Amino acid sequence: LKHLGYKAVVVNLSDIFAMNGQPRQIPVSIALSSRFTLEAIEELYLGIKLACKIYNIDMIGGDTTTSLSGLMISITAIGEVEKKKVCYRDGAKQGDLIVVSGDLGGAFMGLQLLEREKEVFLATKGVGVQPELSGFDYILERQLKPEARKDIIDLLSDLEIQPTSMIDISDGLASECIHIAKQSKLGITLYEDKIPVHPLTHETARDFGIDPTTCSMNGGEDYELLFTISQDDYEKLAANILVRVIGHCTEEVEGYQLILKDGKVYPFSSQGWDPIIGS
């Protein structure tokens, strides 16, 4: 529950960073059933409090009520940004470079690992079985305790780079690229060998029989930042290890393409989480 409280805050702060802003305050409302003890709710709020401390934001109230179906959390992030610096999803231009922070697919593989261990636990009723989670700290943290990329917003400000569009990766790289492309009326070309994947994510995906590129394209919940910049700004961040150029914007008629490592062209679509239909 401490992880849940922390994550519930961070995923909302990420939306503010994705508009090139700085979060300042959050109201928190929860609804809970009688099966939650006072100690459990205190754990939840410990996570919320920790996120507020780390990201220097204030919790300014909210509401608490009862629920007949478990726990529900509603958090709204309130932030600010200079009008000239605000980023939307519709400002990308043909020829702009597509940039991503961090690495992708780790949260998805962390979820696969947790689901596998849960199945083992349920099958054995927990008798004589300990979850095999040792050595997987990185991908587990990517799923359970993600971090919003305030550092990237600060970096862009320091480098005097104004992104032409930006979004956070909550629903998968493919889905977020398509959001920007559709709203900017453009096509997208990505390069498989440029997409950053952590070695542990790659290794775990292979062990599960999953293509690591599938994890990075469709996994979601990484909460990294995806943004576009003018080619004129490339040299400013070319050597920075926090971000990587993974493609460019094309004419709308070219659609959405992934150039595979062998040079083949693969059209991609949105296969990650769809918040409208829940899949």
Side-chain angles (χ1 to χ4, degrees):
L1 284 172
K2 186 176 181 181
H3 281 140
L4 180 61
Y6 188 92
K7 183 174 181 176
V9 175
V10 167
V11 301
N12 283 282
L13 303 186
S14 184
D15 285 326
I16 301 294
F17 292 130
M19 295 189 73
N20 208 27
Q22 295 289 347
R24 300 301 183 199
Q25 301 165 325
I26 56 165
V28 177
S29 296
I30 65 171
L32 59 146
S33 67
S34 58
R35 72 184 180 90
F36 286 91
T37 64
L38 174 60
E39 290 76 18
I41 299 305
E42 286 177 340
E43 278 292 301
L44 179 73
Y45 273 97
L46 279 174
I48 293 172
K49 182 179 178 181
L50 178 61
C52 289
K53 179 180 179 181
I54 289 176
Y55 289 93
N56 192 29
I57 58 172
D58 297 317
M59 184 169 67
I60 57 171
D63 192 21
T64 305
T65 188
T66 57
S67 165
L68 298 178
S69 56
L71 172 67
M72 288 172 279
I73 308 171
S74 176
I75 295 178
T76 300
I78 303 166
E80 61 185 15
V81 60
E82 291 182 49
K83 189 173 182 179
K84 65 180 180 179
K85 291 186 176 182
V86 66
C87 280
Y88 298 103
R89 302 175 183 182
D90 60 358
K93 303 290 189 296
Q94 185 178 337
D96 280 358
L97 303 176
I98 301 168
V99 188
V100 70
S101 66
D103 56 79
L104 305 177
F108 177 75
M109 287 316 306
L111 179 61
Q112 302 310 303
L113 182 64
L114 289 168
E115 287 185 337
R116 183 189 71 183
E117 295 306 308
K118 180 181 178 180
E119 288 180 4
V120 172
F121 179 83
L122 293 175
T124 61
K125 302 186 185 303
V127 178
V129 176
Q130 292 295 322
E132 296 181 12
L133 302 176
S134 178
F136 295 99
D137 292 15
Y138 180 74
I139 58 175
L140 290 172
E141 186 165 303
R142 294 289 282 176
Q143 170 57 223
L144 297 173
K145 188 178 174 289
E147 299 293 351
R149 297 309 301 262
K150 179 183 186 302
D151 58 330
I152 300 301
I153 301 305
D154 294 340
L155 172 68
L156 293 172
S157 178
D158 292 343
L159 296 177
E160 297 183 346
I161 294 176
Q162 173 63 32
T164 54
S165 67
M166 184 151 54
I167 191 171
D168 70 332
I169 302 178
S170 56
D171 304 329
L173 175 62
S175 175
E176 313 304 1
C177 281
I178 291 173
H179 281 313
I180 287 178
K182 284 185 174 179
Q183 295 192 31
S184 298
K185 295 180 172 55
L186 294 169
I188 292 283
T189 295
L190 302 178
Y191 295 87
E192 182 184 24
D193 62 346
K194 300 295 184 184
I195 299 173
V197 177
H198 191 277
L200 181 60
T201 301
H202 188 280
E203 178 183 342
T204 308
R206 289 301 188 194
D207 289 344
F208 273 72
I210 302 173
D211 184 347
T213 299
T214 299
C215 299
S216 60
M217 290 292 288
N218 302 316
E221 287 206 288
D222 289 304
Y223 297 100
E224 296 293 345
L225 291 177
L226 173 74
F227 55 97
T228 57
I229 62 170
S230 166
Q231 292 189 32
D232 294 338
D233 287 326
Y234 172 71
E235 292 299 331
K236 295 179 181 179
L237 53 66
N240 197 292
I241 62 172
L242 297 179
V243 295
R244 182 177 295 189
V245 175
I246 61 170
H248 61 276
C249 299
T250 61
E251 292 184 27
E252 187 174 15
V253 69
E254 294 188 34
Y256 320 126
Q257 303 181 108
L258 178 65
I259 310 299
L260 303 180
K261 293 175 182 177
D262 62 7
K264 293 179 180 178
V265 179
Y266 177 81
F268 69 86
S269 59
S270 175
Q271 299 179 35
W273 174 264
D274 186 329
I276 304 301
I277 63 174
S279 64

